[in-house]
Amino acid sequence: MPHAATLEIRGLSKQYQVKGDTLPVLDNVSLSIKPGEFVSIVGASGCGKSTLLRLVIGLEDDYQGDILLDGHRIVGTSLERGIMFQEHRLFPWLTVEQNVGLGLLNADLGEARKRDAVREHIALVGLEGFERAYPYQLSGGMSQRVAIARALVNRPEVLLLDEPFGALDALTRAYLQQELQRIWAQEGITMILVTHDVEEAVYLGDRVVVMQPRPGRIKRIVDVPLPRPRDRGDYAFAAIKEDVLSEFSDRPRDELIAEPRERNAVEWQFSW
Amino acid sequence: MSAYSSVLTLDPVLPTQAATPTPRPRRRLWSALGRALLAWPFPLAVLLLWQLAATYEWVPSQILPSPATVAGTFADLWRSGELQDNTAISLWRVLWGFSAGATLGFVLGVAMGLSPLTKDYLYPTFKTFAQVPALGWLPLLMMLVGIDEALKIILIAKASLVPIALNTYKGLQNVPTTQIELARVYRFSRWQLLRHVVLPSAFPPIWNGVRYGLTHAWLALVGVELLASSEGLGFLIVYGRQLYQLDVVLAAVVVVGAIGWALDRVLAVIEKRLLRWRVEGF
Ligand SMILES: Nc1ncnc2c1ncn2[C@@H]1O[C@H](COP(=O)(O)OP(=O)(O)O)[C@@H](O)[C@H]1O
Ligand SMILES: [Mg+2]
């Protein structure tokens, strides 16, 4: 069982340079996350949620403020910190099992243990029978499930999930939310989940962090003091959900679910 | 797991519905056959025109022998063994020149793709070097290495080196940062990054370079044999022209074209096998 870590974010700010202009993306974000805590982050698209995760995972070191893990400044990436990116980022030349297996490439396990872990996690996301399939043969939802399996397979202390269930149908989504919660409770992993689904945020989180854009900052943190397993039809649950939703009343809802559509490469060809 | 089995059966994303609907295999076979057949009308029309030109003597037969004459000459050249001998010599030269050029080109491309410093040192020189066609180097090289095998090998190597080096370099440059980031998240070593991400990702453009390289090697071979050789298919063409045997010239030209085409087909078939992870259908 991995020992979960305390994550301390203090006065974090981040800018990007866009054509000579400075674009503030995160402004003075502070958040303290206890070991084994589950934190949900919601906010309009463009308010810096993905950027925040990129900084915590250690892909960028050009920021102001502190990101401390158990009191130590994070330096670069680490196998203790896992991430599932917003896009599935599967390697198109690898099969499903090879893609999941890459997550274990540098894990401290024997080959047999690795094979078992890969098989277990493919089963976990319900893709038995697709072990040898290539990404081009999978739907968006299936690819996302492979990415979930890859993120979970080496059981990091801190796991960051960037809209992991966005492309899934309602039933698969509900099932994987439960499974994620089960693994979280069982392994004591610290989890940060970015989502545009307020119900999902309340269902899974110990706290829901509401962010606002331009520049990205924390608007409010809502506690979810409900025992698990939670009942979505419960009055207290609905009240908290309403409370979080009320933070968005001043902006059009569709901004929350804007997703780029992929273009078909042959659209510009003549049909003959 | 029992909760999930119901989810599985209801899951709308089953494999057959996953990608864009693909035509049933039988239909696809027919459409592939139909597309392959489309390649034939044009050459057949040219052949017909040639036959007509010969029959009605639009062009004197010393200049344009009839298809039947050329076929006869082809058979004669085959029976005497001249055709096989010259083809073997040409293929041998291409094999060596291409192997040397491809190896060097790949190493050069990888070096420039991996090390910005190497790229800054070599790229401008390389680009300039690449602008001079293989045959432009011929006079200089003839002075340096004579007109023996070395000359041909070097020129063929040069012809295949350029596209392979360039495509390898560009392929490595264009590896998406999203893929590199994933490798960083999983703490890949430099070698793991190269082996598991960079090379597979760059493989399609590199292979494209190899295909161009082989085509260029074949073209350079015929060119250099035309100008400086006493053997090979290119020589057969010059030889036929010198004796005013245009049937020999044409027979050799057809063989040159056919082999060039076949070489590229071999690489295309290998490509289909190696790149089966890419969306099918082209
Ligand atoms: N590499 C980058 N260069 C410039 N601007 C960026 C970059 N990455 C993100 N941004 C900008 O930062 C803002 C926040 O992006 P992001 O973190 O992806 O938001 P979210 O995940 O909340 O939708 C957006 O305005 C986006 O355009
Ligand atoms: Mg995002």
Side-chain angles (χ1 to χ4, degrees), chain A:
Chain A
M1 180 161 169
H3 119 97
T6 309
L7 183 66
E8 178 87 28
I9 298 168
R10 279 202 304 239
L12 181 66
S13 299
K14 166 79 187 168
Q15 301 84 30
Y16 280 115
Q17 299 298 327
V18 181
K19 293 191 198 114
D21 289 340
T22 303
L23 175 75
V25 175
L26 291 174
D27 182 41
N28 196 21
V29 171
S30 294
L31 184 64
S32 181
I33 300 176
K34 292 191 291 291
E37 197 180 5
F38 199 121
V39 170
S40 306
I41 300 180
V42 291
S45 61
C47 70
K49 307 182 297 293
S50 296
T51 305
L52 179 62
L53 297 195
R54 288 175 60 80
L55 296 180
V56 173
I57 199 71
L59 280 173
E60 293 187 45
D61 52 11
D62 178 23
Y63 57 83
Q64 298 85 49
D66 298 307
I67 306 173
L68 308 171
L69 198 64
D70 284 338
H72 301 290
R73 228 184 133 85
I74 60 137
V75 182
T77 56
S78 153
L79 289 179
E80 327 276 55
R81 277 171 279 136
I83 188 168
M84 181 192 158
F85 289 102
Q86 194 166 352
E87 329 83 56
H88 59 71
R89 299 203 186 183
L90 301 182
F91 291 125
W93 56 87
L94 296 181
T95 61
V96 167
E97 62 185 358
Q98 290 169 329
N99 265 297
V100 176
L102 266 203
L104 288 175
L105 189 62
N106 291 323
D108 214 359
L109 293 175
E111 284 307 314
R113 274 296 299 131
K114 285 185 183 178
R115 261 198 310 279
D116 288 346
V118 168
R119 191 155 26 77
E120 280 162 25
H121 283 81
I122 289 176
L124 177 75
V125 295
L127 288 175
E128 305 106 316
F130 291 95
E131 289 84 354
R132 302 269 149 82
Y134 285 98
Y136 82 88
Q137 298 168 303
L138 306 177
S139 70
M142 291 161 92
S143 303
Q144 216 168 23
R145 278 141 67 187
V146 180
I148 293 171
R150 182 180 59 190
L152 282 172
V153 74
N154 61 3
R155 297 299 157 100
E157 287 175 26
V158 178
L159 181 59
L160 316 177
L161 300 147
D162 201 346
E163 305 190 9
F165 309 131
L168 303 181
D169 61 283
L171 287 167
T172 313
R173 175 192 292 234
Y175 166 75
L176 284 174
Q177 284 169 352
Q178 274 174 32
E179 282 303 298
L180 187 71
Q181 197 164 56
R182 183 181 63 73
I183 292 170
W184 166 76
Q186 185 182 315
E187 308 274 336
I189 301 173
T190 306
M191 291 198 185
I192 304 178
L193 171 104
V194 166
T195 177
H196 55 242
D197 179 345
V198 170
E199 182 173 294
E200 177 173 282
V202 176
Y203 182 73
L204 291 171
D206 292 317
R207 286 186 289 162
V208 178
V209 175
V210 181
M211 289 184 67
Q212 66 185 135
R214 278 178 292 273
R217 56 225 128 109
I218 294 178
K219 190 175 188 193
R220 208 182 129 196
I221 299 180
V222 178
D223 280 315
V224 189
L226 302 176
R228 294 184 172 88
R230 289 169 178 171
D231 178 1
R232 292 170 211 258
D234 183 43
Y235 174 75
F237 185 93
I240 295 173
K241 191 177 135 188
E242 275 314 306
D243 190 14
V244 175
L245 275 172
S246 69
E247 297 296 335
F248 295 105
S249 52
D250 53 341
R251 74 177 50 257
R253 210 54 73 68
D254 60 358
E255 206 181 335
L256 282 172
I257 52 169
E259 263 174 49
R261 247 183 50 74
E262 267 178 47
R263 280 195 63 223
N264 189 343
V266 294
E267 258 173 27
W268 46 266
Q269 277 189 322
F270 295 117
S271 58
W272 41 271

Side-chain angles (χ1 to χ4, degrees), chain B residues 48-127:
Chain B
L48 184 69
L49 197 65
W50 178 11
Q51 182 62 54
L52 289 175
T55 313
Y56 295 103
E57 301 217 13
W58 295 338
V59 184
S61 64
Q62 292 90 330
I63 295 177
L64 188 69
S66 72
T69 317
V70 172
T73 307
F74 181 90
D76 288 344
L77 287 171
W78 181 272
R79 242 173 280 131
S80 70
E82 264 175 283
L83 196 59
Q84 294 93 312
D85 291 348
N86 285 301
T87 304
I89 287 164
S90 291
L91 282 175
W92 187 87
R93 285 171 178 158
V94 162
L95 179 72
W96 284 106
F98 174 75
S99 305
T103 312
L104 269 175
F106 180 72
V107 170
L108 189 64
V110 170
M112 290 194 299
L114 293 186
S115 149
L117 193 67
T118 312
K119 186 230 145 193
D120 290 343
Y121 267 121
L122 295 181
Y123 195 67
T125 316
F126 171 74
K127 274 298 252 189

Side-chain angles (χ1 to χ4, degrees), chain B residues 208-221:
Chain B
N208 237 342
V210 169
R211 281 180 73 171
Y212 274 118
L214 188 59
T215 302
H216 284 203
W218 186 245
L219 295 176
L221 163 92

